[in-house]
Amino acid sequence: MFFLRAFFVFLLLIGVAHSARAETETAKKPQRIASLGLCTDQILLMMVDASRIATVNHQAADPVASYMAKAVGSIPLNYGSAEEIIPLHPDLVISTSFGAPDAVRILKKLGYRVELMPLPTSVDGIRSMLLRVGQWLGETEKAKTLIAEMDKKIADAQARNQHKPSPRAIIYSPNGYTIGSDTLENDILRQAGYRNLAADMGMQRFQQISLETLVTTQPDRILIDNYAYNPHSLAYSYINHPVVRQMIPFENRMYVPSQLRDCAGPQVADEIAWLADHR
């Protein structure tokens, strides 16, 4: 009987310790998080409840650019200035290495906790990024769930499109820029079943490409951000040049939804699926 009672007391103590540890972990989670840019906004909105978000960047509410626009709701918006963030008394500020540099510098100098989200150059890099951000937010399990969902979407898209050929594609952005190797975009194309002609030509990262080169590459597909639907944009005028129209017919032009490609995050699974389904 003594041993039985001791066993129950032992189980009770374990339960109390576990509960106390869970309460401590919850207390350590940042409760007033400020995000300074679109890319951190979207990850934050995916991982934590709105009640813990002090502010997100105004771009987060733009349905053209933001994958998570519907989740913003009544969360206060900012324009990336330190003056907007300080009155909110955040216990964590997140940004990227290129986003709101002046605000980041000032907030760090004032002693606020500021974390900079890395910029992945591959889908595998997104997995690492999500785990890191999950640690900052106290949401490691949520990060793991997002990764698992992302991986399943990619695998499903690859499986249902595996019978299709691999088109020769090139990305074409405003001002005549294309995207080569050592980039997330290149990895996305590869995982969606395309050959990136810019990478095949030895181009790395972001480089300009002339209309003459664009035409002579004769891509099977030309991928254009859907911002280029604007008839007044430079990209639109380039791709509607008479020579380009003749060499690259409209049916070979793919207008990729901006909210899928503007930032690195779990939404790249949707971009890969979109591209694979349109092969």
Side-chain angles (χ1 to χ4, degrees):
M1 183 66 69
F2 171 78
F3 290 107
L4 185 60
R5 288 178 179 174
F7 179 68
F8 281 122
V9 170
F10 175 70
L11 290 179
L12 179 62
L13 290 174
I14 289 178
V16 170
H18 177 77
S19 177
R21 184 166 60 252
E23 290 178 2
T24 300
E25 289 175 352
T26 300
K28 287 182 179 179
K29 291 182 179 181
Q31 298 297 312
R32 294 192 56 76
I33 309 164
S35 170
L36 299 179
L38 176 62
C39 294
T40 47
D41 294 339
Q42 295 182 111
I43 302 299
L44 181 59
L45 289 163
M46 290 179 193
M47 284 199 187
V48 306
D49 187 79
S51 63
R52 294 171 55 199
I53 302 176
T55 180
V56 293
N57 191 269
H58 68 100
Q59 290 181 300
D62 180 357
V64 175
S66 175
Y67 183 78
M68 295 297 292
K70 292 181 180 178
V72 173
S74 59
I75 296 172
L77 305 179
N78 69 73
Y79 286 80
S81 72
E83 291 81 1
E84 296 171 290
I85 305 303
I86 293 169
L88 299 173
H89 307 292
D91 50 7
L92 172 63
V93 179
I94 57 175
S95 186
T96 60
S97 57
F98 66 88
D102 291 337
V104 166
R105 176 178 51 80
I106 293 169
L107 292 168
K108 280 185 174 182
K109 191 172 183 178
L110 292 174
Y112 288 92
R113 180 190 173 194
V114 180
E115 300 287 358
L116 299 181
M117 194 172 76
L119 300 176
T121 57
S122 66
V123 174
D124 190 51
I126 291 176
R127 297 184 184 100
S128 300
M129 177 196 74
L130 290 173
L131 290 173
R132 182 182 297 186
V133 177
Q135 290 178 341
W136 299 340
L137 303 176
E139 298 291 348
T140 301
E141 291 306 312
K142 180 61 177 177
K144 291 178 180 177
T145 298
L146 289 173
I147 292 169
E149 292 172 350
M150 178 180 74
D151 289 346
K152 184 178 186 306
K153 283 184 181 179
I154 293 172
D156 288 348
Q158 291 172 337
R160 68 175 175 265
N161 291 287
Q162 61 182 340
H163 63 284
K164 296 179 180 178
S166 298
R168 300 160 62 255
I170 195 160
I171 298 170
Y172 197 64
S173 300
N175 298 317
Y177 275 88
T178 190
I179 305 174
S181 61
D182 302 323
T183 61
L184 175 60
E185 290 83 354
N186 183 63
D187 194 31
I188 287 171
L189 280 179
R190 181 183 62 81
Q191 297 214 29
Y194 292 78
R195 281 180 53 200
N196 183 3
L197 287 178
D200 288 352
M201 290 186 289
M203 294 184 176
Q204 294 182 319
R205 301 185 181 179
F206 297 82
Q207 292 188 29
Q208 280 188 308
I209 182 172
S210 67
L211 279 175
E212 291 80 5
T213 303
L214 177 66
V215 170
T216 56
T217 58
Q218 295 187 327
D220 299 317
R221 301 284 190 279
I222 179 169
L223 279 58
I224 308 159
D225 193 292
N226 66 356
Y227 278 128
Y229 274 128
N230 179 358
H232 304 295
S233 73
L234 185 58
Y236 191 92
S237 63
Y238 269 44
I239 62 172
N240 279 282
H241 189 282
V243 176
V244 177
R245 286 205 307 269
Q246 182 177 353
M247 298 296 295
I248 306 172
F250 186 81
E251 59 268 22
N252 290 347
R253 305 176 191 185
M254 299 172 64
Y255 291 86
V256 184
S258 300
Q259 66 267 35
L260 299 184
R261 61 165 302 197
D262 278 355
C263 291
Q267 67 271 21
V268 301
D270 291 336
E271 182 180 1
I272 290 170
W274 189 94
L275 288 168
D277 290 341
H278 286 78
R279 248 167 48 206

